[in-house]
Every structure is written in C-alpha cells, then in structure tokens.
Amino acid sequence: MTHTGIPRTDVCIIGAGPAGALLADTLAAAGHDVVVLEAGPRFDPTDRLERMERSIRPGDSGLSVWDMGGKRDAYTSSGENFYPLNHARVKGVGGSTLHWQGMVMRLHESDFAATGPAGGEWPIDYDDLRSYYANAEQELGVAGAVDNPFSPPRDEPYPMPAFAPSHSDSIFAEACEALEITTHSVGNARNSVAYDGRSQCVGYGTCNPVCPSGAKYSADTTIEKAEAKGVRVVTEAPVQRLETTAAGERVEAAIYAKDGRTYRQEARQFILAAGGVEIPRLLLLSASDEHPDGLANSSGAVGRYFMEHLFAGMGGVLSGRETRQNHVGFMTTESHQFYDNDEPGIGPIKLEFLNYAGPSPVEIAMDSAEYGDDLLETLKASYGHNLAMGALVGQEPRKENYIGLDPSETDDHGNPVPDVHWRIGEQEKRTIARANEIQQAVLDELGVDIRWKIGPENTGPTYHHMGTTRMGTDPETSVVDARLRCHDVANLTIASSSVFVTSGAMNPTLTIAALALRAADFVDESLKQA
Amino acid sequence: MELTRRDALSALASVGIVAGGGSAFLASGDDGADVSRRQIVETMGAAADVLYPTEVTGIHAFVETYLTRKIDGRPAYRSQLGRAVVELNETAQDWYDAPFAELSVELRTQLLVEMGIPEADPSADPGETTARRLRYYIWNDLQYALYSSPTGGRLVGIENPQGHPGGLTYTKQP
Ligand SMILES: Cc1cc2nc3c(=O)[nH]c(=O)nc-3n(C[C@H](O)[C@H](O)[C@H](O)COP(=O)(O)OP(=O)(O)OC[C@H]3O[C@@H](n4cnc5c(N)ncnc54)[C@H](O)[C@@H]3O)c2cc1C
Ligand code: SF4
C-alpha cells in the first residue's frame, strides 16, 4: 500500500547534499513550499569528535566514519578499472560534503569550450556562471586570495582571507622558483576566521573524513538554514522511482520508502540532487511505457559519459630539514600553471603541495606492535622530514564509461544496484605521466629521496562523479538543457556534477553549488509563471 | 617531559568530552562483573607505565583525569573498557597471582606480550577476542590519549598532532 507523503508541495528535492541544500534554502527564501527527501540519516553534530577518533584509529577503512556500506549501498564495478564507489560518497543530510576535503575553485573558461573526442561543448560559458560562483563562495564560505594568475576573471574578493602558506610551502617555493613554476594560494571552503556562525579552523587535522569543529563547510548547515525557513526534510527516505503523468510529460510523484512503508510525494516541480551516480540510477529505475529506456532518456545519454579526476602523486624524505606535516588536514598552496597547457594530447593538470605528507604519529602509534621507548624512537625517526605533491588530472567524456543498473544484485529495497563501468583512457595516462614529470623535477630540485609514486599504472579516482546526465542544446545527445531542465520532462530539473559536459581538473563542488543557485532561479521563475 | 592536566583535558577534548566529575560509581562489565572506577584507573595507569616512554612523567594523574571523565561521558565505552579491565585482571590473577596493577612493570609487560596484545589486530570492532578487546580499549586508548596530546606530540616533534585542536601553527619555523 502506498501512503501519501506531505501534501502536494511546490518543490520536491531529492537529496540533501550541497546541491539539494542550496536549492532548498534559495527556493524557501523565495517563498516556495519545499520538501527534501534524503536517503540517509541526519548525523548528530555532537558525535563529530567520536567520529574523528574512529577515523584516526587504525583499521578503519573510512567507510565506518559515516556508516557507509552494506546492502543499502551495494554496487558493482564492471569496467576495466575498479571503482570504489562507497569511498566516493556519503549518504545523509549534508551528502558527501560531510566527508569531503573542502578545496574549492572555479572551472576555467576553457573547460566550458573544451572539445574531446566525444564533443565537449557546454551550452553555457563561464560568464553565465560568474555571478553564481561569487554567491556560491559566500554560501559555502571560501577562504582565498586573489594571487592566482591562472584563475578565470573575478570581480569580488573572497569572503574570507586565505590561509597563510605553510612551512613546507616555503620549501616548495624555493624549488618552484628555480624551475619557473608559479605557486599561489588555494580556495578552501573552511573558515580562516569565524564565519557564518561557525568557528575558525582550529587545526584538528582530520578535515577529510570529518571536521569536528565545524570550520569546514558541510551542507548540513545549509539544510539547517533551509529548515528555519520552513523546508521540511524527510530523512532515511530513499526515493525508489519517479512517476509521470499518463503522457509522460511531467513528473507527478516521487515514490519513497520510509520505515517499511511506501510513500508518494507530489509536487509541482521536482529536482534531482542525489549525486552523480544515484541520479542516473533513479532515472533508469523510473523506466515506464512512455520512457522505456529510463526517464528523460530519449537521448540514451543517461548514465553515459561518466568522468572522474585522476590522482597523480609523489613523495619522499628530505634529509636534514623539518617539513612540519600533519599540523592541519588541508592544503594551502597549488599551481594551476599546467592547467590550460597547449601540450598535444595532454589534458588539464592541477598541481598540489601537500601539508599532510608522511605518517601521522598518533596513527602509527596505534598501528604498531612496539610500545614505550622503542615506539617513541620509531615515531621520532619516521616523523619530520616528509614532503609530497599531488595532482588532479581531468578525464575526457567517453560514452563507454557509464553508470548502469546491475539486475543480478539488488539493494535493501530490491532495486538493481548501480554498476560503475569505468576505464581510464590514454589521454589521462599521458597527462598523469606529465604530472609525475613535473613532480619529479620539483622534488629532485629539493634533493628529496623519492619513496613513492602514484602514476598511470596505479592511479585512482579522487571521488568526483561527473557527466552522467550531461547538459546540451541537442535533445538527441544530452539529458538536460542550459536551464538544467530535462529535455524530455517539463518539471524535472537536475542539480549535480552529473550535468557537467567536461570534467576539467578542478574539484567540482563550487561549480555544483553555482549551478544549483542558477537552477534555483529558473525553478523559481517556472513556479511564478505557472 | 611531564604530562599535565592540560594534556589530559586536551586528550579528552579530542574524544569529545568537555565536562566531567561525578561521584564514584560502579561500571558494569558485560560479563556481569562489577568493576569500580578506581580499579579501571589503577589498571590503566599500570598499563600506561608499560606503554608510555620513560621520559614521560605525571602518567597516573594524566590517566586518572583522562579516564574518569571519559568513562563518565561515554557509558557504552565504559562498559567495554570495564570488561577489558576485568579480563586483564583475571588473567593477571590466574597467571601471576595478583591483580595487574600489583605486578612489577616487567611482569606487566610480560603479561601483555604473552596475551598477544602487541600483535593483536588494532582495528575497530574489537568485540571478537580478548586480545583485540584489550588492544582496542586499553592499549590503543592509552596511545591515543598520549600521542594526540600536546606533550605526546612534542615528544615526537609535532606540537599540534592529529586529533588535537592546537590552532593554525603549521606556518611556524621549527
Ligand atoms: C573523500 C572525498 C573528498 C572530496 N573532496 C572534495 C574537494 O576537496 N572539493 C570538491 O569540490 N569536492 C570534493 N568532493 C566531492 C564532493 O563531496 C561532491 O562533489 C559533492 O558533495 C556533490 O554534491 P551533490 O549535492 O551533488 O551530491 P552528494 O553530496 O552526493 O549528495 C547527494 C545526496 O543525495 C542522497 N540520495 C542519493 N540517492 C537518493 C535517493 N534515491 N533518494 C533520496 N536521497 C538520495 C544521498 O544520500 C546524498 O545525501 C569529495 C568527495 C569525497 C567523497
Ligand atoms: S584542520 Fe580540518 S578538521 Fe581541523 S578544524 Fe580545520 S577544517 Fe576542521
């Protein structure tokens, strides 16, 4: 038996991550009646320190910190490259920003125009997003400085001053200067001063997977603001499918499960903000006579063009110099010099200088069979001289990388699990190798004894899902239009990196937030017109 | 290097406990045995004598402040720790005819090693075996308290270790 949810509302948003939270808050501020359906729980903010302890204690794979895994989160990974999906997401109020690192930057103008083999032109450009980027920086609270000569144009200062460069940044700066690599500050969605009712960063050093002080932005704070404006949030209410009108032109209801029952939530406008994997899955699960290949999928593009950023890195030991790592859990310096490169066959590279290279003494202590003076000697010998660099490398959009349904396995509600079918291509491998070359040059310049390398052979994803409901002007090849509305379904908007046409190599969430704020304007307009 | 009250409070802060105090009470072990707060603190202090480096002083006061407040603040943890303390003391009694805290430091060390604690899996979900439980609730809890505190960090050369909210000291020259 299906029960009625909250009486028909103006807007039903599916997912309470940053995209859903910002839409809920903005639409409520515009006077609309909003319901948010969230698959995961609401995590009590007073538990954050206990979660931090869990994250520092050994053996924790990272999944237990936010209770990920089990039948609810079952998935398969059928591609050439394994995809560890549950490390790449959190289900709950706040979504993956509970776990995220919090590095935020705008995409470059070139990203909107890039053309890969599959075609990669966005129907919007940087200027369409520019003011929304500024609003997103205010909403998330970004600490930054205007010292990055490679960044796209911006008119306004960051809402908070940048974090000062670290001690090891100054070591890297020497080598970079010699190699003519320009370094600069990096945008952080983390309070460098008290901001928006949340504390300044106090240096717990565990930002990813959990910030106990609340200095790092997470979207549960935006949900709280939205609730104060009247938004209703239903937690542990995974949406099972979307039901359309008889002609299939509009969504009529979201069908969700809660406490062993099935509910039907009706609304005038629906917004899918369930993240880059669950959005295409839900569309595919919502296949009907009118939409036989999945809802909003007349193009066949739903789930296709899945993209990630790949990691390249290198690190080692710098004898004789203190490098002061692990005091904080975030980065203060990057170089975007190799982003808009014109090297043939090389994609964008975002170069990072780590502040948490090498072992964390407290973690080593708990993992060790040693104790007393022997343990202390080991800790002293292992701590103090590590340096490391990372890089994010963009991935080309390819139709054969996809999120599909795997009917051979079902989740806790009997739905086929998502199947991530993913392969890392030649361009990415070349770009990773190029990033490694730059890293090696910097570390060699400093005389670092290189002890590890993440290169093309052992690279992995950086947990940024993108591309699975791409944006475009042509309904034959894309899922949503420039207003983020599905071509095939009049009242269904998608707010996610799933609409990205190209990946760039910048961490995606500021762009997700900017797109969400822009989508809110269009949904507001539709509601006012109707 | 002396462990101070500030270290204990800081270690407590890093596990999410801000207030404390309270009267003496009984902490129930899961096996039904009652174990007093005093017994927990004494046993843990005796274990810290083994686990902490010799240059550290003030160990017992540190452990007492840290633990009494932690067991007050986290009832589920108190019951698991209580069970581990009972098991350790029962083993000490069986093998060496005295509670753990009354053994010499050498015998305490020997007992922990003989029970397989150094090699026990240190990860979460410690409920499976005695060795894992002792590793998680006694051994590693003491290591966590020490090495996430300012003094424990300084011993190693980091004044703001992970887990300690020591502020934005990362820019400082060594
Ligand atoms: C370890 C890690 C580090 C990261 N670091 C960074 C970083 O430094 N910078 C950056 O820009 N990005 C980073 N990210 C990525 C960032 O977290 C995501 O881009 C961002 O959270 C996506 O926002 P979203 O709102 O689209 O989706 P999500 O945050 O994934 O939220 C989606 C929500 O929808 C809910 N949901 C899913 N399915 C359903 C359903 N059927 N019904 C109801 N609700 C549903 C989920 O439970 C979830 O709460 C990181 C991610 C991870 C995992
Ligand atoms: S260093 Fe990270 S975990 Fe610590 S307070 Fe700052 S943001 Fe939070």
mmCIF file of all heavy atoms in Angstrom, chain A residues 204-243:
data_model
loop_
_atom_site.group_PDB
_atom_site.id
_atom_site.type_symbol
_atom_site.label_atom_id
_atom_site.label_comp_id
_atom_site.label_asym_id
_atom_site.label_seq_id
_atom_site.Cartn_x
_atom_site.Cartn_y
_atom_site.Cartn_z
ATOM 1 N N TYR A 204 42.367 20.539 13.874
ATOM 2 C CA TYR A 204 42.267 19.128 14.266
ATOM 3 C C TYR A 204 43.049 18.230 13.311
ATOM 4 O O TYR A 204 43.509 17.163 13.681
ATOM 5 C CB TYR A 204 40.811 18.663 14.281
ATOM 6 C CG TYR A 204 40.076 18.944 15.557
ATOM 7 C CD1 TYR A 204 39.068 19.899 15.610
ATOM 8 C CD2 TYR A 204 40.381 18.257 16.725
ATOM 9 C CE1 TYR A 204 38.379 20.154 16.785
ATOM 10 C CE2 TYR A 204 39.701 18.507 17.901
ATOM 11 C CZ TYR A 204 38.697 19.458 17.927
ATOM 12 O OH TYR A 204 38.030 19.706 19.086
ATOM 13 N N GLY A 205 43.129 18.650 12.068
ATOM 14 C CA GLY A 205 43.936 17.895 11.108
ATOM 15 C C GLY A 205 43.263 16.676 10.508
ATOM 16 O O GLY A 205 43.932 15.832 9.930
ATOM 17 N N THR A 206 41.950 16.563 10.628
ATOM 18 C CA THR A 206 41.269 15.382 10.081
ATOM 19 C C THR A 206 40.149 15.777 9.123
ATOM 20 O O THR A 206 39.166 15.042 8.979
ATOM 21 C CB THR A 206 40.656 14.543 11.220
ATOM 22 O OG1 THR A 206 39.797 15.405 11.990
ATOM 23 C CG2 THR A 206 41.711 13.958 12.123
ATOM 24 N N CYS A 207 40.306 16.946 8.461
ATOM 25 C CA CYS A 207 39.238 17.514 7.616
ATOM 26 C C CYS A 207 38.513 16.453 6.796
ATOM 27 O O CYS A 207 37.294 16.429 6.727
ATOM 28 C CB CYS A 207 39.811 18.533 6.642
ATOM 29 S SG CYS A 207 41.052 19.609 7.315
ATOM 30 N N ASN A 208 39.271 15.647 6.120
ATOM 31 C CA ASN A 208 38.725 14.549 5.343
ATOM 32 C C ASN A 208 39.124 13.289 6.108
ATOM 33 O O ASN A 208 40.315 12.994 6.163
ATOM 34 C CB ASN A 208 39.367 14.604 3.944
ATOM 35 C CG ASN A 208 39.198 13.366 3.098
ATOM 36 O OD1 ASN A 208 38.719 12.348 3.563
ATOM 37 N ND2 ASN A 208 39.631 13.437 1.845
ATOM 38 N N PRO A 209 38.254 12.613 6.836
ATOM 39 C CA PRO A 209 36.816 12.490 6.640
ATOM 40 C C PRO A 209 35.921 13.262 7.591
ATOM 41 O O PRO A 209 34.701 13.131 7.442
ATOM 42 C CB PRO A 209 36.604 11.001 6.890
ATOM 43 C CG PRO A 209 37.560 10.676 7.992
ATOM 44 C CD PRO A 209 38.752 11.566 7.744
ATOM 45 N N VAL A 210 36.426 14.011 8.532
ATOM 46 C CA VAL A 210 35.466 14.672 9.435
ATOM 47 C C VAL A 210 36.115 15.884 10.100
ATOM 48 O O VAL A 210 37.254 15.809 10.555
ATOM 49 C CB VAL A 210 34.909 13.675 10.493
ATOM 50 C CG1 VAL A 210 36.018 12.992 11.260
ATOM 51 C CG2 VAL A 210 33.979 14.362 11.490
ATOM 52 N N CYS A 211 35.388 16.984 10.120
ATOM 53 C CA CYS A 211 35.866 18.180 10.828
ATOM 54 C C CYS A 211 35.039 18.348 12.089
ATOM 55 O O CYS A 211 33.865 18.689 12.017
ATOM 56 C CB CYS A 211 35.718 19.420 9.963
ATOM 57 S SG CYS A 211 36.070 20.934 10.880
ATOM 58 N N PRO A 212 35.643 18.106 13.258
ATOM 59 C CA PRO A 212 34.842 18.180 14.478
ATOM 60 C C PRO A 212 34.443 19.607 14.871
ATOM 61 O O PRO A 212 33.486 19.791 15.608
ATOM 62 C CB PRO A 212 35.760 17.594 15.558
ATOM 63 C CG PRO A 212 36.924 17.025 14.851
ATOM 64 C CD PRO A 212 37.019 17.692 13.521
ATOM 65 N N SER A 213 35.175 20.609 14.383
ATOM 66 C CA SER A 213 34.904 21.976 14.849
ATOM 67 C C SER A 213 33.837 22.675 14.035
ATOM 68 O O SER A 213 33.350 23.736 14.430
ATOM 69 C CB SER A 213 36.182 22.807 14.795
ATOM 70 O OG SER A 213 36.427 23.204 13.459
ATOM 71 N N GLY A 214 33.493 22.129 12.878
ATOM 72 C CA GLY A 214 32.537 22.819 12.009
ATOM 73 C C GLY A 214 33.169 23.912 11.169
ATOM 74 O O GLY A 214 32.477 24.645 10.469
ATOM 75 N N ALA A 215 34.496 24.033 11.212
ATOM 76 C CA ALA A 215 35.165 25.067 10.418
ATOM 77 C C ALA A 215 35.081 24.766 8.930
ATOM 78 O O ALA A 215 35.019 25.667 8.098
ATOM 79 C CB ALA A 215 36.631 25.166 10.833
ATOM 80 N N LYS A 216 35.084 23.491 8.592
ATOM 81 C CA LYS A 216 34.947 23.088 7.191
ATOM 82 C C LYS A 216 33.461 23.110 6.840
ATOM 83 O O LYS A 216 32.637 22.599 7.600
ATOM 84 C CB LYS A 216 35.508 21.671 7.020
ATOM 85 C CG LYS A 216 35.418 21.133 5.624
ATOM 86 C CD LYS A 216 35.801 19.655 5.573
ATOM 87 C CE LYS A 216 34.684 18.765 6.073
ATOM 88 N NZ LYS A 216 34.934 17.327 5.846
ATOM 89 N N TYR A 217 33.142 23.692 5.683
ATOM 90 C CA TYR A 217 31.734 23.719 5.266
ATOM 91 C C TYR A 217 31.216 22.311 5.062
ATOM 92 O O TYR A 217 31.871 21.478 4.444
ATOM 93 C CB TYR A 217 31.578 24.496 3.947
ATOM 94 C CG TYR A 217 30.174 24.373 3.378
ATOM 95 C CD1 TYR A 217 29.144 25.159 3.880
ATOM 96 C CD2 TYR A 217 29.883 23.444 2.392
ATOM 97 C CE1 TYR A 217 27.844 25.022 3.391
ATOM 98 C CE2 TYR A 217 28.591 23.296 1.894
ATOM 99 C CZ TYR A 217 27.588 24.090 2.402
ATOM 100 O OH TYR A 217 26.302 23.949 1.913
ATOM 101 N N SER A 218 30.045 22.031 5.587
ATOM 102 C CA SER A 218 29.319 20.856 5.113
ATOM 103 C C SER A 218 27.852 21.243 5.008
ATOM 104 O O SER A 218 27.344 22.073 5.770
ATOM 105 C CB SER A 218 29.568 19.614 5.967
ATOM 106 O OG SER A 218 28.930 19.721 7.191
ATOM 107 N N ALA A 219 27.180 20.618 4.040
ATOM 108 C CA ALA A 219 25.873 21.120 3.611
ATOM 109 C C ALA A 219 24.776 20.908 4.638
ATOM 110 O O ALA A 219 23.686 21.452 4.486
ATOM 111 C CB ALA A 219 25.492 20.475 2.285
ATOM 112 N N ASP A 220 25.048 20.152 5.699
ATOM 113 C CA ASP A 220 24.021 20.041 6.739
ATOM 114 C C ASP A 220 23.737 21.411 7.364
ATOM 115 O O ASP A 220 22.626 21.662 7.831
ATOM 116 C CB ASP A 220 24.402 18.999 7.798
ATOM 117 C CG ASP A 220 25.790 19.198 8.369
ATOM 118 O OD1 ASP A 220 26.641 19.790 7.682
ATOM 119 O OD2 ASP A 220 26.028 18.763 9.510
ATOM 120 N N THR A 221 24.723 22.312 7.325
ATOM 121 C CA THR A 221 24.486 23.651 7.881
ATOM 122 C C THR A 221 23.521 24.439 6.985
ATOM 123 O O THR A 221 22.705 25.214 7.479
ATOM 124 C CB THR A 221 25.804 24.436 8.042
ATOM 125 O OG1 THR A 221 26.440 24.551 6.756
ATOM 126 C CG2 THR A 221 26.756 23.738 8.984
ATOM 127 N N THR A 222 23.610 24.222 5.678
ATOM 128 C CA THR A 222 22.668 24.895 4.776
ATOM 129 C C THR A 222 21.261 24.324 4.950
ATOM 130 O O THR A 222 20.267 25.052 4.894
ATOM 131 C CB THR A 222 23.132 24.736 3.311
ATOM 132 O OG1 THR A 222 24.467 25.230 3.212
ATOM 133 C CG2 THR A 222 22.244 25.495 2.348
ATOM 134 N N ILE A 223 21.184 23.012 5.181
ATOM 135 C CA ILE A 223 19.864 22.401 5.428
ATOM 136 C C ILE A 223 19.234 23.002 6.690
ATOM 137 O O ILE A 223 18.045 23.296 6.718
ATOM 138 C CB ILE A 223 19.998 20.854 5.549
ATOM 139 C CG1 ILE A 223 20.203 20.235 4.160
ATOM 140 C CG2 ILE A 223 18.806 20.241 6.259
ATOM 141 C CD1 ILE A 223 18.958 20.179 3.275
ATOM 142 N N GLU A 224 20.054 23.208 7.718
ATOM 143 C CA GLU A 224 19.515 23.827 8.937
ATOM 144 C C GLU A 224 18.906 25.196 8.640
ATOM 145 O O GLU A 224 17.830 25.543 9.128
ATOM 146 C CB GLU A 224 20.637 24.037 9.952
ATOM 147 C CG GLU A 224 20.735 22.960 10.983
ATOM 148 C CD GLU A 224 21.927 23.191 11.899
ATOM 149 O OE1 GLU A 224 22.105 24.329 12.381
ATOM 150 O OE2 GLU A 224 22.694 22.230 12.083
ATOM 151 N N LYS A 225 19.626 25.988 7.834
ATOM 152 C CA LYS A 225 19.098 27.311 7.463
ATOM 153 C C LYS A 225 17.798 27.169 6.688
ATOM 154 O O LYS A 225 16.853 27.936 6.883
ATOM 155 C CB LYS A 225 20.104 28.049 6.570
ATOM 156 C CG LYS A 225 21.326 28.534 7.285
ATOM 157 C CD LYS A 225 22.145 29.335 6.291
ATOM 158 C CE LYS A 225 23.576 29.388 6.719
ATOM 159 N NZ LYS A 225 24.447 29.951 5.704
ATOM 160 N N ALA A 226 17.766 26.194 5.791
ATOM 161 C CA ALA A 226 16.571 25.982 4.974
ATOM 162 C C ALA A 226 15.397 25.588 5.868
ATOM 163 O O ALA A 226 14.269 26.068 5.679
ATOM 164 C CB ALA A 226 16.843 24.904 3.929
ATOM 165 N N GLU A 227 15.683 24.746 6.856
ATOM 166 C CA GLU A 227 14.602 24.319 7.756
ATOM 167 C C GLU A 227 14.056 25.495 8.550
ATOM 168 O O GLU A 227 12.849 25.585 8.804
ATOM 169 C CB GLU A 227 15.094 23.203 8.681
ATOM 170 C CG GLU A 227 15.270 21.896 7.912
ATOM 171 C CD GLU A 227 15.818 20.751 8.770
ATOM 172 O OE1 GLU A 227 16.824 20.956 9.476
ATOM 173 O OE2 GLU A 227 15.235 19.668 8.727
ATOM 174 N N ALA A 228 14.946 26.415 8.896
ATOM 175 C CA ALA A 228 14.479 27.610 9.619
ATOM 176 C C ALA A 228 13.548 28.447 8.730
ATOM 177 O O ALA A 228 12.732 29.215 9.233
ATOM 178 C CB ALA A 228 15.681 28.444 10.068
ATOM 179 N N LYS A 229 13.672 28.267 7.432
ATOM 180 C CA LYS A 229 12.771 28.987 6.500
ATOM 181 C C LYS A 229 11.538 28.153 6.162
ATOM 182 O O LYS A 229 10.772 28.512 5.274
ATOM 183 C CB LYS A 229 13.524 29.326 5.213
ATOM 184 C CG LYS A 229 14.686 30.296 5.411
ATOM 185 C CD LYS A 229 15.339 30.680 4.088
ATOM 186 C CE LYS A 229 16.500 31.636 4.290
ATOM 187 N NZ LYS A 229 17.793 30.966 4.499
ATOM 188 N N GLY A 230 11.380 27.018 6.797
ATOM 189 C CA GLY A 230 10.170 26.227 6.610
ATOM 190 C C GLY A 230 10.322 24.977 5.762
ATOM 191 O O GLY A 230 9.348 24.244 5.555
ATOM 192 N N VAL A 231 11.516 24.699 5.267
ATOM 193 C CA VAL A 231 11.709 23.496 4.449
ATOM 194 C C VAL A 231 11.546 22.250 5.318
ATOM 195 O O VAL A 231 12.037 22.208 6.443
ATOM 196 C CB VAL A 231 13.123 23.511 3.808
ATOM 197 C CG1 VAL A 231 13.451 22.162 3.169
ATOM 198 C CG2 VAL A 231 13.220 24.640 2.788
ATOM 199 N N ARG A 232 10.837 21.267 4.786
ATOM 200 C CA ARG A 232 10.691 20.014 5.523
ATOM 201 C C ARG A 232 11.615 18.956 4.921
ATOM 202 O O ARG A 232 11.638 18.781 3.712
ATOM 203 C CB ARG A 232 9.232 19.545 5.485
ATOM 204 C CG ARG A 232 8.372 20.359 6.467
ATOM 205 C CD ARG A 232 6.918 20.180 6.237
ATOM 206 N NE ARG A 232 6.481 20.811 4.993
ATOM 207 C CZ ARG A 232 5.224 20.808 4.561
ATOM 208 N NH1 ARG A 232 4.296 20.195 5.255
ATOM 209 N NH2 ARG A 232 4.896 21.418 3.435
ATOM 210 N N VAL A 233 12.356 18.297 5.808
ATOM 211 C CA VAL A 233 13.323 17.300 5.356
ATOM 212 C C VAL A 233 12.887 15.936 5.890
ATOM 213 O O VAL A 233 12.677 15.787 7.095
ATOM 214 C CB VAL A 233 14.747 17.624 5.867
ATOM 215 C CG1 VAL A 233 15.751 16.569 5.399
ATOM 216 C CG2 VAL A 233 15.175 19.020 5.409
ATOM 217 N N VAL A 234 12.724 14.983 5.006
ATOM 218 C CA VAL A 234 12.394 13.623 5.424
ATOM 219 C C VAL A 234 13.655 12.783 5.265
ATOM 220 O O VAL A 234 14.160 12.621 4.155
ATOM 221 C CB VAL A 234 11.252 13.024 4.562
ATOM 222 C CG1 VAL A 234 10.795 11.685 5.144
ATOM 223 C CG2 VAL A 234 10.087 13.989 4.451
ATOM 224 N N THR A 235 14.200 12.294 6.383
ATOM 225 C CA THR A 235 15.451 11.527 6.308
ATOM 226 C C THR A 235 15.155 10.028 6.217
ATOM 227 O O THR A 235 14.042 9.585 6.487
ATOM 228 C CB THR A 235 16.328 11.793 7.546
ATOM 229 O OG1 THR A 235 15.574 11.434 8.698
ATOM 230 C CG2 THR A 235 16.752 13.242 7.628
ATOM 231 N N GLU A 236 16.192 9.283 5.848
ATOM 232 C CA GLU A 236 16.085 7.836 5.658
ATOM 233 C C GLU A 236 14.858 7.501 4.815
ATOM 234 O O GLU A 236 14.066 6.627 5.157
ATOM 235 C CB GLU A 236 16.092 7.139 7.015
ATOM 236 C CG GLU A 236 17.435 7.422 7.689
ATOM 237 C CD GLU A 236 17.619 6.778 9.035
ATOM 238 O OE1 GLU A 236 18.019 5.605 9.045
ATOM 239 O OE2 GLU A 236 17.414 7.459 10.039
ATOM 240 N N ALA A 237 14.748 8.263 3.727
ATOM 241 C CA ALA A 237 13.609 8.141 2.819
ATOM 242 C C ALA A 237 14.111 8.029 1.379
ATOM 243 O O ALA A 237 13.951 8.951 0.583
ATOM 244 C CB ALA A 237 12.710 9.370 2.979
ATOM 245 N N PRO A 238 14.749 6.900 1.051
ATOM 246 C CA PRO A 238 15.275 6.772 -0.312
ATOM 247 C C PRO A 238 14.167 6.744 -1.366
ATOM 248 O O PRO A 238 13.215 5.972 -1.238
ATOM 249 C CB PRO A 238 16.028 5.426 -0.273
ATOM 250 C CG PRO A 238 15.421 4.676 0.859
ATOM 251 C CD PRO A 238 15.007 5.710 1.874
ATOM 252 N N VAL A 239 14.311 7.592 -2.356
ATOM 253 C CA VAL A 239 13.338 7.609 -3.448
ATOM 254 C C VAL A 239 13.590 6.384 -4.325
ATOM 255 O O VAL A 239 14.728 6.090 -4.694
ATOM 256 C CB VAL A 239 13.437 8.916 -4.249
ATOM 257 C CG1 VAL A 239 12.544 8.871 -5.483
ATOM 258 C CG2 VAL A 239 13.059 10.096 -3.352
ATOM 259 N N GLN A 240 12.506 5.664 -4.634
ATOM 260 C CA GLN A 240 12.610 4.425 -5.399
ATOM 261 C C GLN A 240 12.430 4.650 -6.890
ATOM 262 O O GLN A 240 13.035 4.003 -7.713
ATOM 263 C CB GLN A 240 11.546 3.431 -4.919
ATOM 264 C CG GLN A 240 11.522 3.227 -3.414
ATOM 265 C CD GLN A 240 12.757 2.499 -2.937
ATOM 266 O OE1 GLN A 240 12.995 1.363 -3.324
ATOM 267 N NE2 GLN A 240 13.574 3.158 -2.123
ATOM 268 N N ARG A 241 11.533 5.575 -7.214
ATOM 269 C CA ARG A 241 11.337 5.925 -8.627
ATOM 270 C C ARG A 241 10.488 7.184 -8.724
ATOM 271 O O ARG A 241 9.875 7.616 -7.742
ATOM 272 C CB ARG A 241 10.682 4.770 -9.399
ATOM 273 C CG ARG A 241 9.301 4.444 -8.955
ATOM 274 C CD ARG A 241 8.734 3.226 -9.694
ATOM 275 N NE ARG A 241 7.320 3.102 -9.396
ATOM 276 C CZ ARG A 241 6.845 2.623 -8.262
ATOM 277 N NH1 ARG A 241 7.670 2.207 -7.318
ATOM 278 N NH2 ARG A 241 5.540 2.555 -8.058
ATOM 279 N N LEU A 242 10.488 7.760 -9.918
ATOM 280 C CA LEU A 242 9.646 8.917 -10.190
ATOM 281 C C LEU A 242 8.504 8.465 -11.091
ATOM 282 O O LEU A 242 8.728 7.717 -12.049
ATOM 283 C CB LEU A 242 10.473 10.018 -10.873
ATOM 284 C CG LEU A 242 11.660 10.543 -10.063
ATOM 285 C CD1 LEU A 242 12.495 11.521 -10.887
ATOM 286 C CD2 LEU A 242 11.192 11.221 -8.783
ATOM 287 N N GLU A 243 7.315 8.930 -10.758
ATOM 288 C CA GLU A 243 6.140 8.557 -11.559
ATOM 289 C C GLU A 243 5.699 9.730 -12.390
ATOM 290 O O GLU A 243 5.608 10.857 -11.881
ATOM 291 C CB GLU A 243 4.987 8.180 -10.616
ATOM 292 C CG GLU A 243 4.797 6.699 -10.490
ATOM 293 C CD GLU A 243 3.669 6.357 -9.533
ATOM 294 O OE1 GLU A 243 2.738 7.182 -9.356
ATOM 295 O OE2 GLU A 243 3.745 5.276 -8.946
#
